[in-house]
Amino acid sequence: MLPHADSCPEKEIWLQNLHPEDKERVLELQRQALATDEPYEFEYRLRDGRTGEYRWFLSQHVPLLNEAGQIVQWLATCTDIEEQKRAEQQLKESQENWRLLAETVPQLVWTTTPDDSATYCNQHYLDYVGASPEDVLGSGWQHFVHPDDLEYTLAVRQHSLETGSPYEIEYRFKDGKTGRYRWFLVRALPVRDDASQIVKWFGTSTDIDEQKRTEEALRQSQETAGTLMNSNITGIYISEGEQIVNANDTFLRMTGYTREDLREGRMSWWHMTPPEGRARTLEAEQELTTRQSLTPYEKEYVCQDGSRLPVLVGKVVLPHSPPQRIAFVLDNSARKELEQRKDDFLSMASHELKTPLASLKLQTQLLRKKLEKRDLPNVEVVCARMEAQLNAVTRLIDELLDLSRIQAGTLEYAQDTVDLGEILEEVVDMIQSMHTTHTIVAQRASSPAIVVGDRDRLARVFQNVLSNAIKYAPNAPLIDVVLTTEVSTVTISVRDQGIGIPRELQGKIFERFYRAVPLQQRAFPGLGMGLYIVSEIVKHHGGTIRVESEKGKGSTFHLTFPLASSRDAVPQGRE
Ligand code: ADP
């Protein structure tokens, strides 16, 4: 019972034990309530006489009336509500902590009711969608979910509601700043009441856009690699050292090996390379190591059944550990077959032309003799022109024949001991007599330069290089020829001051049919065979040919041969 009278000893004691912070409020409340004569209640803290600590109480006051309706007494109850107050305080604090936590974490945090209506979202959430709570709460949040993901999202939530199990889902959520959708991982837990009914869902949404894009890029690149690997156009294999560790079906089909051969480690690109292709293959591997990639080159593989497959191979180093290399292999047999047919045709055509041409030449000579006897005007000049043209055609056909023989490996060489200085001198004299437009200044050798080889073919080499020097220097009449002997080699250098060869084309001029002058440039007729034949003959003699040139500034061809004494070390066969 709480004392009512303004001054009584109980009230004095009560006031003394009332918490100072509550005193004024309580007295004011009491004053107001008494003025209305209505029941009233209030809470306050009162000191416990035993412990000296304050505890919360609830005072409830009801007036007792007499028959005339006047208040005779106030009935008051006082209940200790300390426990309840504490629980309320704890709840308040934990709610506050929860909110603080929700605002601190980097995720979007939210709660929804079971009918998918949002009841809370943290500031981070609002900042991300760039909207106000009114736009997001209720069903507003659904407007920010990607339209393609919404149906699925709601279905998952519905299912979880039915089963009561937490859910995890990924969906795209709109970024208010950019208008772009980003991927989020959404996790939600149900919150239940005492009756175990789900009253709300507590959820977090984590931005996984970067991860998703990386995954997507990875998936796409794996898909691309897969498509590439499964293409039936290119044979692909991956090697570690000499061992082929993986290959696509196309490569296996090309070479006749099986997956089991591959699994059992029975495939090695080195063993599949025929002996005569190994030097070029080693060169290619060297290039691959230096440049991390290899310009495609032609080679042959020995197939499982021992047959040969012409291929075009390019390789790239894979940045893996252990080091791996990936090879792209194109079946080159169709092209090779076509090339072979072209070679066969050239060989046949030149053989077919050679006989009638020889007879034509003979007939021309006979005709000339007969006409000379008649003493007709201009016979000499006309016949000489005819013979010159016939000689040009004969040279061309001889070149074509040589080319075919080189291709077939049947070009025969004499093995004589010859003086290269002497051969050069003869060729210089011959070419000089035919070309009055140019002056060939040749430094004669002081001592013989003896090599072992084919005199006629070596003469053809010099003829070709000198003829080119004249042909490609129409406005520069001076040609220099120098012969230099070293201890074991002799070098012939032919220098002109003509049109020169662009640097990037210099490596190609020794290839078959390659011409460094545009096709339409009629001033320099030719078929691009000469230097190919020259380089093959030089190679056969164990020598080398190289060019130094600059566009517009002339060219110098250097031909180096081993002298006879050191010739023993040079292989005789065709390389
Ligand atoms: P071609 O019949 O075209 O002269 P070659 O095989 O003898 O064939 O020469 C190949 C190419 O090299 C020529 O087409 C030309 O472009 C270039 N070439 C050869 N010699 C010279 C030179 N002395 N000066 C400039 N270019 C040259």
Side-chain angles (χ1 to χ4, degrees):
M1 265 275 289
L2 181 69
H4 263 95
D6 270 352
S7 58
C8 72
E10 289 90 343
K11 183 152 186 180
E12 274 308 309
I13 297 167
W14 180 77
L15 279 172
Q16 276 170 19
N17 287 311
L18 191 62
H19 196 288
E21 285 175 14
D22 296 343
K23 199 176 280 178
E24 205 173 310
R25 175 176 59 86
V26 167
L27 289 176
E28 176 57 27
L29 246 164
Q30 202 174 33
R31 241 190 322 273
Q32 285 173 10
L34 287 174
T36 64
D37 290 347
E38 292 291 322
Y40 67 95
E41 62 176 42
F42 54 86
E43 293 171 357
Y44 58 88
R45 282 162 288 179
L46 203 61
R47 188 167 47 214
D48 184 334
R50 287 158 305 178
T51 62
E53 282 173 8
Y54 286 96
R55 292 178 72 82
W56 278 97
F57 288 90
L58 168 69
S59 271
Q60 292 171 308
H61 302 256
V62 184
L64 286 181
L65 307 176
N66 62 13
E67 285 168 2
Q70 292 163 327
I71 300 173
V72 284
Q73 213 179 10
W74 283 87
L75 192 66
T77 56
C78 192
T79 318
D80 185 333
I81 55 165
E82 179 65 25
E83 289 307 315
Q84 184 190 329
K85 272 291 199 187
R86 262 194 213 155
E88 273 175 18
Q89 183 61 23
Q90 269 173 6
L91 184 66
K92 214 171 125 196
E93 277 173 13
S94 77
Q95 277 177 345
E96 192 51 34
N97 286 345
W98 184 85
R99 258 166 219 283
L100 264 174
L101 189 70
E103 293 305 333
T104 323
V105 292
Q107 282 103 334
L108 314 188
V109 181
W110 46 266
T111 58
T112 55
T113 54
D115 63 353
D116 286 329
S117 186
T119 47
Y120 164 78
C121 55
N122 67 353
Q123 189 57 42
H124 196 40
Y125 190 123
L126 296 173
D127 292 345
Y128 176 77
V129 292
S132 64
E134 295 77 58
D135 297 327
V136 177
L137 298 181
S139 62
W141 64 274
Q142 295 177 13
H143 296 121
F144 301 94
V145 177
H146 194 289
D148 292 351
D149 301 341
L150 187 59
E151 197 181 322
Y152 168 67
T153 302
L154 294 178
V156 171
R157 287 168 65 92
Q158 186 56 36
H159 178 258
S160 294
L161 190 67
E162 283 158 16
T163 59
S165 49
Y167 70 83
E168 197 173 290
I169 184 175
E170 288 175 4
Y171 62 64
R172 283 161 289 177
F173 208 43
K174 195 173 187 172
D175 183 340
K177 284 190 278 298
T178 61
R180 201 168 70 78
Y181 286 92
R182 295 177 69 83
W183 280 100
F184 277 80
L185 170 68
V186 179
R187 288 199 179 105
L189 289 169
V191 180
R192 294 164 193 275
D193 63 9
D194 293 343
S196 244
Q197 285 299 309
I198 295 176
V199 285
K200 66 178 171 182
W201 289 88
F202 171 82
T204 59
S205 307
T206 311
D207 189 332
I208 53 162
D209 202 60
E210 281 301 313
Q211 181 188 331
K212 269 294 226 193
R213 279 174 206 282
T214 313
E215 272 172 23
E216 181 58 15
L218 187 70
R219 194 191 60 74
Q220 279 184 11
S221 78
Q222 275 171 345
E223 205 177 89
T224 311
T227 312
L228 198 71
M229 200 72 175
N230 295 327
S231 86
N232 55 4
I233 309 163
T234 320
I236 299 173
Y237 70 77
I238 293 168
S239 60
E240 278 176 31
E242 291 171 15
Q243 195 68 35
I244 295 177
V245 293
N246 196 0
N248 67 355
D249 289 341
T250 312
F251 184 71
L252 295 177
R253 206 173 41 246
M254 274 176 174
T255 53
Y257 282 92
T258 61
R259 281 244 153 247
E260 204 189 331
D261 291 327
L262 183 69
R263 263 196 307 274
E264 299 293 315
R266 287 195 287 264
M267 291 183 77
S268 142
W269 56 261
W270 181 248
H271 289 127
M272 289 165 72
T273 304
E276 71 277 9
R278 289 189 174 171
R280 174 68 185 97
T281 297
L282 282 180
E283 224 175 79
E285 288 299 308
Q286 191 60 46
E287 181 191 331
L288 183 59
T289 309
T290 322
R291 296 183 34 213
Q292 301 292 290
S293 70
L294 168 63
T295 323
Y297 73 106
E298 288 183 0
K299 69 176 283 182
E300 280 187 345
Y301 279 128
V302 181
C303 299
Q304 210 274 340
D305 62 3
S307 62
R308 300 283 183 96
L309 176 75
V311 289
L312 194 68
V313 186
K315 285 189 182 185
V316 178
V317 173
L318 292 173
H320 291 175
S321 181
Q324 289 189 331
R325 288 154 175 217
I326 183 162
F328 302 92
V329 184
L330 278 181
D331 185 336
N332 209 16
S333 42
R335 206 189 118 194
K336 281 283 166 195
E337 200 188 311
L338 207 66
E339 246 176 50
Q340 187 58 49
R341 251 187 269 164
K342 188 187 71 192
D343 288 345
D344 292 349
F345 169 77
L346 282 178
S347 163
M348 248 158 39
S350 36
H351 271 107
E352 290 300 314
L353 285 171
K354 198 157 168 71
T355 323
L357 194 66
S359 124
L360 199 60
K361 227 170 145 181
L362 203 70
Q363 301 298 327
T364 313
Q365 280 162 4
L366 281 173
L367 193 64
R368 180 185 192 162
K369 277 192 188 126
K370 285 195 176 159
L371 289 174
E372 271 170 0
K373 283 183 196 150
R374 293 206 195 161
D375 197 23
L376 291 169
N378 277 343
V379 163
E380 180 62 29
V381 178
V382 171
C383 287
R385 275 193 204 141
M386 273 174 77
E387 274 172 10
Q389 292 302 324
L390 278 171
N391 283 340
V393 179
T394 310
R395 257 203 317 279
L396 201 67
I397 286 171
D398 281 345
E399 275 193 353
L400 273 171
L401 275 171
D402 280 356
L403 196 83
S404 305
R405 290 186 190 123
I406 288 170
Q407 284 306 114
T410 54
L411 190 66
E412 285 172 4
Y413 292 88
Q415 286 287 100
D416 299 325
T417 304
V418 293
D419 181 354
L420 220 51
E422 201 181 284
I423 301 174
L424 183 64
E425 218 167 286
E426 281 170 20
V427 173
V428 167
D429 291 347
M430 195 247 300
I431 299 278
Q432 182 66 86
S433 68
M434 289 162 62
H435 297 274
T436 46
T437 48
H438 288 70
T439 306
I440 306 174
V441 178
Q443 247 179 49
R444 314 271 154 166
S446 51
S447 58
I450 306 298
V451 301
V452 175
D454 188 316
R455 189 183 176 83
D456 290 346
R457 299 214 186 284
L458 288 168
R460 284 274 300 282
V461 164
F462 299 142
Q463 272 173 36
N464 216 300
V465 176
L466 271 164
S467 306
N468 275 352
I470 290 171
K471 179 163 71 174
Y472 293 107
N475 305 318
L478 198 65
I479 312 287
D480 286 307
V481 178
V482 180
L483 185 145
T484 331
T485 42
E486 304 270 331
V487 181
S488 58
T489 57
V490 51
T491 298
I492 292 98
S493 303
V494 177
R495 184 161 72 96
D496 66 63
Q497 290 159 18
I499 62 169
I501 305 160
R503 197 167 297 274
E504 65 279 9
L505 306 182
Q506 288 172 16
K508 296 191 152 203
I509 58 171
F510 302 103
E511 287 173 13
R512 225 160 38 122
F513 306 129
Y514 188 83
R515 306 205 67 222
V517 281
L519 209 60
Q520 59 275 24
Q521 211 160 330
R522 297 263 169 241
F524 305 109
L527 292 176
M529 289 188 288
L531 284 182
Y532 172 72
I533 297 172
V534 163
S535 71
E536 287 296 318
I537 297 175
V538 171
K539 250 195 269 175
H540 179 87
H541 285 83
T544 56
I545 178 166
R546 66 185 177 89
V547 63
E548 272 179 284
S549 182
E550 208 175 312
K551 196 175 174 202
K553 295 200 176 158
S555 316
T556 307
F557 282 84
H558 302 281
L559 298 116
T560 302
F561 295 91
L563 287 169
S565 50
S566 62
R567 183 76 179 93
D568 302 351
V570 179
Q572 290 287 316
R574 184 174 175 269
E575 282 152 316

